[in-house]
Amino acid sequence: MTQLHLPADRTHERHRLENRYPGIWRASQLAHDMAATIHTGYIALNQELPNAGWPLGQLIEILIAQFGTAELNLLMPALKRLDHRPVALLAPPHIPFASAYQQDAAEAVSLLWIAGTKHSDHLWSAEQILKNGSCGALLLWQKQIKTEVLRRLHLLAQKSQTLFFVIRPMQAAQSPSPAVLRIALTPKASGMQINILKRRGASNEAPLFLYTNDHPYLSSRVIEPLRQSVPDSPLGLSRQDQQKQTSIF
């Protein structure tokens, strides 16, 4: 198949427009602009996300079949990069295992754990945290939440630099959402499978496997052969985040 090349003047004009209007990108590209992001801790995942990281001040959805099985293992590397700003866990499915957040004093995570029993209390708390802006991250677990509520939370998040995740059941993929990024997360024997359902820019239907070097559900009898057969860095955690995976709940 013959590849078409733009004339030099048209290529120059395209680059000029892209530099002048960073919020505009071609359909074949990932979005690229000046929006702030934070490193996910996973090299392969960064390469699939606009601006190479989790977006700050935006609604991100993590869809998972069973709460508490993989979402915090996915997010922990980023939570440890928040310069000790508190991380709010709102209506988590289990009592947080505090020691897992304090393993390394240099990367210790300060927790704000909010249990609550009423759906309305969860939403009110989420709004107050986003309005206040003092937390580095907000993780909200919700089995059912209306699209208009998500839209309101998204608008509040945009006025902050909070890393904001809503964790929902997998079947929520069939419902509309204002989230700029939606990810389906599936725990696997030696890591996690990621399916990017929505992102700013070109779509990607291919699953992404993230290998975790110390997966909490594997014994040393299983993990040692995996360590010998899997490369040190390209597919999974960045080097500084290897050896740091643990059971969170």
Side-chain angles (χ1 to χ4, degrees), residues 226-247:
L226 288 171
R227 284 177 176 164
Q228 297 173 12
S229 62
V230 178
D232 286 339
S233 62
L235 294 180
L237 291 168
S238 59
R239 291 185 181 276
Q240 70 186 81
D241 288 303
Q242 292 183 16
Q243 310 291 344
K244 294 180 182 178
Q245 294 299 296
T246 186
S247 181

Side-chain angles (χ1 to χ4, degrees), residues 94-135:
H94 308 290
I95 298 174
F97 181 47
S99 297
Y101 297 84
Q102 309 294 328
Q103 287 186 330
D104 187 340
E107 297 181 336
V109 177
S110 300
L111 290 185
L112 174 62
W113 172 34
I114 306 172
T117 56
K118 295 182 179 179
H119 178 70
S120 58
D121 291 343
H122 299 162
L123 301 182
W124 182 87
S125 298
E127 289 184 5
Q128 302 312 306
I129 291 170
L130 293 173
K131 286 179 181 178
N132 184 271
S134 60
C135 288

Side-chain angles (χ1 to χ4, degrees), residues 5 24 34 44 105 112 148 164 174 185 200 213 247:
H5 297 278
I24 299 176
M34 302 303 292
L112 174 62
E148 54 266 31
F164 178 38
Q174 306 303 319
L185 174 62
R200 295 166 62 230
N213 209 26
S247 181

Side-chain angles (χ1 to χ4, degrees), residues 30-241:
L30 282 178
H32 53 85
D33 53 28
M34 302 303 292
T37 60
I38 189 168
H39 197 297
T40 67
Y42 298 88
I43 297 170
L45 180 56
N46 280 354
Q47 294 172 346
E48 297 296 332
L49 298 182
N51 298 319
W54 298 122
L56 299 177
Q58 304 284 344
L59 168 61
I60 307 168
E61 284 190 2
I62 305 291
L63 308 184
I64 191 166
Q66 183 177 349
F67 288 173
T69 55
E71 59 269 36
L72 283 177
N73 285 318
L74 172 66
L75 302 179
M76 183 58 71
L79 300 182
K80 291 182 176 181
R81 287 177 160 86
L82 294 174
D83 297 326
H84 300 284
R85 295 176 66 197
V87 173
L89 305 181
L90 182 48
H94 308 290
I95 298 174
F97 181 47
S99 297
Y101 297 84
Q102 309 294 328
Q103 287 186 330
D104 187 340
E107 297 181 336
V109 177
S110 300
L111 290 185
L112 174 62
W113 172 34
I114 306 172
T117 56
K118 295 182 179 179
H119 178 70
S120 58
D121 291 343
H122 299 162
L123 301 182
W124 182 87
S125 298
E127 289 184 5
Q128 302 312 306
I129 291 170
L130 293 173
K131 286 179 181 178
N132 184 271
S134 60
C135 288
L138 168 61
L139 280 61
L140 170 64
W141 283 262
Q142 289 291 285
K143 291 183 177 180
Q144 293 183 339
I145 187 168
K146 295 181 178 179
T147 302
E148 54 266 31
V149 174
L150 287 172
R151 187 174 295 110
R152 184 168 70 249
L153 293 175
H154 179 50
L155 290 173
L156 289 173
Q158 290 179 312
K159 299 177 182 178
S160 73
Q161 287 293 297
T162 303
L163 182 60
F164 178 38
F165 295 93
V166 175
I167 297 94
R168 306 179 65 189
M170 193 69 76
Q171 56 265 32
Q174 306 303 319
S175 303
S177 170
V180 298
L181 178 61
R182 300 185 92 186
I183 286 179
L185 174 62
T186 306
K188 295 294 183 179
S190 58
M192 297 167 279
Q193 178 178 303
I194 300 289
N195 290 81
I196 300 177
L197 307 179
K198 178 183 178 182
R199 64 181 179 181
R200 295 166 62 230
S203 61
N204 181 12
E205 297 181 358
L208 173 67
F209 181 77
L210 301 179
Y211 169 77
T212 52
N213 209 26
D214 259 342
H215 195 275
Y217 308 118
L218 291 181
S219 66
S220 58
R221 177 174 56 84
V222 177
I223 199 70
E224 286 304 327
L226 288 171
R227 284 177 176 164
Q228 297 173 12
S229 62
V230 178
D232 286 339
S233 62
L235 294 180
L237 291 168
S238 59
R239 291 185 181 276
Q240 70 186 81
D241 288 303

